[in-house]
């Protein structure tokens, strides 16, 4: 765990203790305490979070690409999924035209594999996830043609440029405690 995350965890623990003291003593005319934001807590609340699906079989990823460009060389929190659904004719046509391998998504075996990030602008963009060894991915299917793989965690985003106009975004998972993940999700 990074020193910053340990420090933030300790501050959260202390704030919780002080809230309990306030809750007990105030009805008896005792101490009242109102927490102030500290510099470190401000950093936690400003971690960029992505909570919209990453669309593998759609051209509607322009907002996601903008998010990636704005957060290059930063740590972000992903509470998202890869949506590789093929319910609509438009999605099936994209799979055929782009020769997308849905099997790599449904097998959850795409750590380290560049995935195309289709978009309306026609930019050549790929994303590659590098999950930690203990990260378990699960594919779910909610009916005929629905394919989703949930992705949750902290990731360092970096961008590289390749031949022609291809841009590759890399997501390297950063370890964080369960408490830190829950705290961020509950904000």
């Amino acid at each position: 765990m990074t020193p910053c995350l340990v420090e933030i965890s300790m501050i959260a623990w202390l704030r919780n203790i002080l809230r309990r003291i306030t809750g007990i003593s105030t009805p008896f005319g005792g101490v009242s305490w109102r927490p102030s934001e500290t510099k470190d807590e401000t950093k936690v609340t400003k971690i960029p979070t992505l909570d919209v699906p990453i669309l593998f079989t759609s051209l509607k990823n322009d907002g996601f690409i903008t998010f990636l460009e704005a957060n290059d060389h930063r740590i972000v929190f992903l509470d998202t999924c890869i949506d590789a659904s093929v319910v609509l004719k438009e999605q099936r046509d994209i799979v055929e035209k782009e020769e997308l391998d849905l099997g790599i998504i449904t097998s959850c075996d795409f750590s380290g594999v560049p995935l195309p990030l289709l978009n309306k602008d026609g930019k050549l963009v790929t994303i590659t996830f590098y999950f930690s060894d203990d990260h378990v991915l699960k594919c779910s299917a909610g009916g005929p043609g629905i394919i989703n793989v949930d992705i949750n965690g902290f990731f360092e985003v970096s961008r590289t440029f390749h031949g022609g106009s291809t841009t590759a975004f890399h997501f390297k998972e950063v370890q964080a405690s369960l408490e830190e993940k829950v705290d961020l999700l509950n904000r």
Side-chain angles (χ1 to χ4, degrees):
M1 188 173 347
T2 63
C4 181
L5 294 176
V6 170
E7 216 172 72
I8 292 168
S9 180
M10 290 176 63
I11 291 170
W13 175 80
L14 181 60
R15 287 172 56 95
N16 189 26
I17 295 297
L18 291 174
R19 280 190 188 111
R20 289 181 184 180
I21 292 171
T22 301
I24 294 169
S25 64
T26 303
F28 300 110
V31 179
S32 179
W33 175 75
R34 181 177 176 179
S36 62
E37 280 193 10
T38 64
K39 192 181 220 181
D40 290 336
E41 289 173 333
T42 304
K43 288 180 189 174
V44 170
T45 59
K46 291 188 178 184
I47 291 178
T49 301
L50 178 72
D51 58 1
V52 295
I54 301 167
L55 305 172
F56 189 65
T57 56
S58 174
L59 301 176
K60 298 176 184 173
N61 287 304
D62 297 295
F64 179 49
I65 293 171
T66 301
F67 173 85
L68 295 175
E69 291 170 342
N71 291 294
D72 186 21
H73 291 87
R74 294 186 68 191
I75 292 178
V76 299
F77 184 74
L78 299 183
D79 182 24
T80 186
C81 70
I82 291 183
D83 182 344
S85 298
V86 286
V87 175
L88 305 173
K89 181 181 181 332
E90 169 187 317
Q91 293 168 320
R92 291 187 300 272
D93 291 346
I94 287 173
V95 169
E96 286 180 27
K97 179 183 175 198
E98 300 294 329
E99 298 178 5
L100 299 177
D101 181 6
L102 297 179
I104 199 159
I105 302 298
T106 58
S107 69
C108 297
D109 194 24
F110 54 87
S111 185
V113 177
L115 302 173
L117 191 59
L118 306 175
N119 55 82
K120 290 179 184 175
D121 293 336
K123 296 177 186 175
L124 299 175
V125 180
T126 63
I127 56 172
T128 306
F129 290 93
Y130 301 93
F131 297 105
S132 61
D133 291 338
D134 62 343
H135 193 120
V136 177
L137 293 173
K138 296 177 186 169
C139 180
S140 62
I146 303 288
I147 303 169
N148 288 307
V149 177
D150 288 333
I151 299 176
N152 298 78
F154 293 91
F155 292 84
E156 179 183 349
V157 177
S158 62
R159 172 174 40 178
T160 57
F161 299 97
H162 299 274
S165 58
T166 302
T167 303
F169 288 97
H170 306 271
F171 289 89
K172 181 182 177 196
E173 188 167 17
V174 177
Q175 292 298 322
S177 71
L178 178 61
E179 292 82 17
E180 290 159 339
K181 291 178 184 177
V182 169
D183 183 52
L184 191 63
L185 284 170
N186 287 334
R187 288 179 187 249

